[in-house]
Amino acid sequence: RRGEMAKSTQLIDNEVFRAFATYTAIVLLKMMLMSLITAYFRITRKAFVNPEDTASFGKGESAKKYLRTDADVERVRRGHLNDLENIVPFVGIGLLYALSGPELSTALLHFRIFTGARILHTFAYLIPLPQPSRGLSWAVGYATTFSMAYKVLKTAWLL
Amino acid sequence: RRGEMAKSTQLIDNEVFRAFATYTAIVLLKMMLMSLITAYFRITRKAFVNPEDTASFGKGESAKKYLRTDADVERVRRGHLNDLENIVPFVGIGLLYALSGPELSTALLHFRIFTGARILHTFAYLIPLPQPSRGLSWAVGYATTFSMAYKVLKTAWLL
Amino acid sequence: RRGEMAKSTQLIDNEVFRAFATYTAIVLLKMMLMSLITAYFRITRKAFVNPEDTASFGKGESAKKYLRTDADVERVRRGHLNDLENIVPFVGIGLLYALSGPELSTALLHFRIFTGARILHTFAYLIPLPQPSRGLSWAVGYATTFSMAYKVLKTAWLL
């Protein structure tokens, strides 16, 4: 039993992997939060896309008027899609990076910068802050993932 | 040779990881199925988005009329995007969770509930079932991923 | 210290895993490239979606006219979403596949075919090439991921 546990927690005992697990969980939870914010705006703005979602507002025309797009809902949805486009590469490349044997301090630097940049990006998108806030926070996260990909390819390269 | 095989299959020999691999493969295949359903509706409803996809229907105006949106196609696409938004966090957090040394029974419970909830969600979206079927199945999957993230952060926390 | 390093690079020392890391990094970088291509077309076509992005073009109506959709921008965005829909399953299933102890030559075949198919898919989408170029390259990548999922389920099956 204990031997099995030890085996199963092997990776999680590695400090770089623990850091990766922590930041990945945080950044994925942040992404999941976008679903709740979308739902919040859909309900408060009464802007839905599926007819079955407006059934509680009555039948026919009275419900149909809530099948509409809303600028705030669309803004959150764009932020959510941007998260998917950027956090998916971070999680995939970050996992390989964490297994490529980087220094803990270097790894922490990458994970912290990426996570900070994506949190800033969300605020910049949702408030919204004037440009280039959103553009810069996006670029910093992008460059961080690129830097990890470089380390992965340098370490693992087998084409 | 045998030593190498043993090393490479180490993780897959762990029962929690095997369960994770099984449910992740199922839930990702389910997500991939959405592409086929979208293609099915695009072809049967003759509703395309790329001009090159309608070239076989003739030239000019006769083909152009098939460049249109269709309610069923859009519904499947929304289901597909919702899968991406929810299955990506499950796969990422679920992997870290599987490596955090949970009890097999607890892990199976999480994986089974999430997979069941997402299959229900797809049926609720595509049929469509009256609300709150879709909302509830979404929330159950969401809460399951959240519960795994809590375990990951409790085990791995290294900020 | 050395012992810990050795442990942490254990997976990356496995040849199948190194091949997976290489192709995953390549295919995720290719997906990330779609963001840059979208930005390029948004700027050259002056087609934006967020009001704050057009502020540098002046105030009021003069900037508002750049809040529009552009056929080329939308095309790149569809390609990007298609990448997400297909590369996410590849990364998730591919990781489990790499840990399921396949022959190196078989694994390389899967990774190479998928990566080649997705690069072709991008060219077919963006140029665009006449169908069935895009359809076929999509189907080849899809079938490759499906084949890896079959191996994962055969090896890991624990429901």
Side-chain angles (χ1 to χ4, degrees):
Chain A
R1 182 70 233 175
R2 263 202 96 255
E4 200 185 325
M5 282 292 288
K7 224 192 296 173
S8 74
T9 54
Q10 204 167 350
L11 264 174
I12 216 86
D13 285 343
N14 176 279
E15 281 195 316
V16 170
F17 193 81
R18 279 176 55 206
F20 171 71
T22 305
Y23 286 96
T24 292
I26 289 171
V27 92
L28 285 174
L29 287 171
K30 192 227 76 60
M31 186 171 90
M32 287 171 68
L33 186 60
M34 303 305 271
S35 298
L36 292 185
I37 302 177
T38 302
Y40 170 79
F41 278 116
R42 283 208 182 282
I43 291 166
T44 55
R45 262 60 166 172
K46 291 197 170 140
F48 299 91
V49 65
N50 295 299
E52 66 269 28
D53 300 353
T54 62
S56 62
F57 299 120
K59 281 181 185 294
E61 291 310 310
S62 61
K64 226 171 178 175
K65 70 178 172 210
Y66 301 122
L67 294 177
R68 56 192 187 86
T69 58
D70 173 87
D72 290 322
V73 171
E74 295 309 307
R75 182 174 281 278
V76 185
R77 292 182 66 223
R78 289 196 297 276
H80 200 165
L81 186 58
N82 194 281
D83 270 355
L84 268 173
E85 292 168 358
N86 290 277
I87 291 175
V88 162
F90 170 79
V91 173
I93 290 171
L95 172 68
L96 305 171
Y97 172 76
L99 298 172
S100 74
E103 289 293 322
L104 177 60
S105 56
T106 318
L108 277 171
L109 197 69
H110 280 86
F111 302 155
R112 282 172 182 158
I113 290 175
F114 181 86
T115 305
R118 292 310 302 180
I119 291 173
L120 279 178
H121 182 270
T122 303
F123 280 105
Y125 218 145
L126 297 192
I127 292 177
L129 298 177
Q131 285 283 30
S133 316
R134 198 183 86 238
L136 277 183
S137 55
W138 172 83
V140 168
Y142 194 89
T144 308
T145 306
F146 201 88
S147 162
M148 295 194 301
Y150 175 78
K151 172 73 164 74
V152 168
L153 288 175
K154 218 179 56 174
T155 311
W157 191 264
L158 193 159
L159 209 60
Chain B
R1 181 71 232 177
R2 263 202 97 254
E4 198 185 325
M5 281 293 289
K7 223 190 299 170
S8 74
T9 56
Q10 204 168 350
L11 265 174
I12 217 85
D13 285 343
N14 175 280
E15 282 195 316
V16 171
F17 194 81
R18 279 178 53 206
F20 170 71
T22 305
Y23 286 97
T24 292
I26 290 172
V27 93
L28 285 175
L29 287 171
K30 191 226 76 60
M31 186 171 91
M32 286 170 69
L33 186 61
M34 303 305 270
S35 297
L36 292 185
I37 302 178
T38 301
Y40 170 79
F41 278 116
R42 282 210 182 281
I43 291 165
T44 56
R45 263 61 167 172
K46 291 195 171 140
F48 299 91
V49 64
N50 295 299
E52 66 269 27
D53 300 354
T54 62
S56 61
F57 298 120
K59 283 187 183 290
E61 291 309 311
S62 61
K64 226 171 178 175
K65 71 178 171 208
Y66 300 123
L67 293 178
R68 55 192 187 85
T69 59
D70 172 86
D72 289 323
V73 171
E74 295 308 307
R75 182 173 281 278
V76 186
R77 292 183 65 222
R78 289 196 298 275
H80 201 166
L81 186 57
N82 194 283
D83 270 355
L84 267 174
E85 292 169 357
N86 289 278
I87 291 175
V88 163
F90 170 80
V91 173
I93 291 170
L95 172 70
L96 305 171
Y97 172 77
L99 298 173
S100 74
E103 289 293 323
L104 177 60
S105 56
T106 317
L108 277 171
L109 197 69
H110 280 84
F111 302 155
R112 283 171 183 159
I113 290 176
F114 181 86
T115 305
R118 291 311 301 180
I119 291 172
L120 279 178
H121 183 272
T122 302
F123 280 105
Y125 219 145
L126 297 192
I127 293 178
L129 297 176
Q131 285 285 28
S133 315
R134 197 183 85 236
L136 277 183
S137 56
W138 172 83
V140 168
Y142 194 90
T144 308
T145 306
F146 201 87
S147 163
M148 296 193 301
Y150 175 77
K151 172 74 164 74
V152 168
L153 288 175
K154 218 179 58 175
T155 311
W157 191 264
L158 193 159
L159 210 59
Chain C
R1 183 70 233 179
R2 264 204 96 256
E4 199 186 325
M5 280 295 288
K7 224 192 298 172
S8 73
T9 55
Q10 204 166 351
L11 265 174
I12 217 84
D13 285 343
N14 175 279
E15 281 194 318
V16 171
F17 194 81
R18 278 176 56 205
F20 171 71
T22 305
Y23 285 97
T24 292
I26 289 171
V27 93
L28 285 175
L29 286 171
K30 191 226 77 59
M31 186 171 90
M32 287 170 69
L33 185 61
M34 302 305 270
S35 297
L36 292 185
I37 302 176
T38 302
Y40 170 79
F41 278 116
R42 282 208 183 283
I43 290 165
T44 55
R45 262 62 164 169
K46 290 196 171 141
F48 300 91
V49 65
N50 295 299
E52 66 268 28
D53 300 354
T54 61
S56 61
F57 298 119
K59 282 183 184 291
E61 292 310 311
S62 61
K64 227 173 178 174
K65 70 179 172 208
Y66 300 123
L67 294 177
R68 57 192 187 83
T69 58
D70 172 87
D72 289 323
V73 171
E74 296 308 308
R75 182 174 282 278
V76 185
R77 292 183 64 223
R78 289 196 299 275
H80 201 166
L81 186 57
N82 194 283
D83 270 355
L84 268 173
E85 291 170 357
N86 289 279
I87 290 175
V88 163
F90 170 79
V91 173
I93 290 171
L95 172 68
L96 305 171
Y97 171 77
L99 298 173
S100 74
E103 289 293 324
L104 177 61
S105 56
T106 318
L108 277 171
L109 196 68
H110 280 86
F111 302 155
R112 284 172 183 159
I113 290 176
F114 181 87
T115 305
R118 292 311 300 181
I119 291 172
L120 278 179
H121 182 272
T122 302
F123 280 106
Y125 218 146
L126 297 192
I127 292 179
L129 298 177
Q131 284 283 29
S133 317
R134 198 183 85 235
L136 278 182
S137 56
W138 172 85
V140 168
Y142 194 89
T144 308
T145 306
F146 200 87
S147 163
M148 295 194 300
Y150 175 78
K151 172 73 164 72
V152 168
L153 288 174
K154 219 178 58 174
T155 311
W157 191 264
L158 193 157
L159 210 58

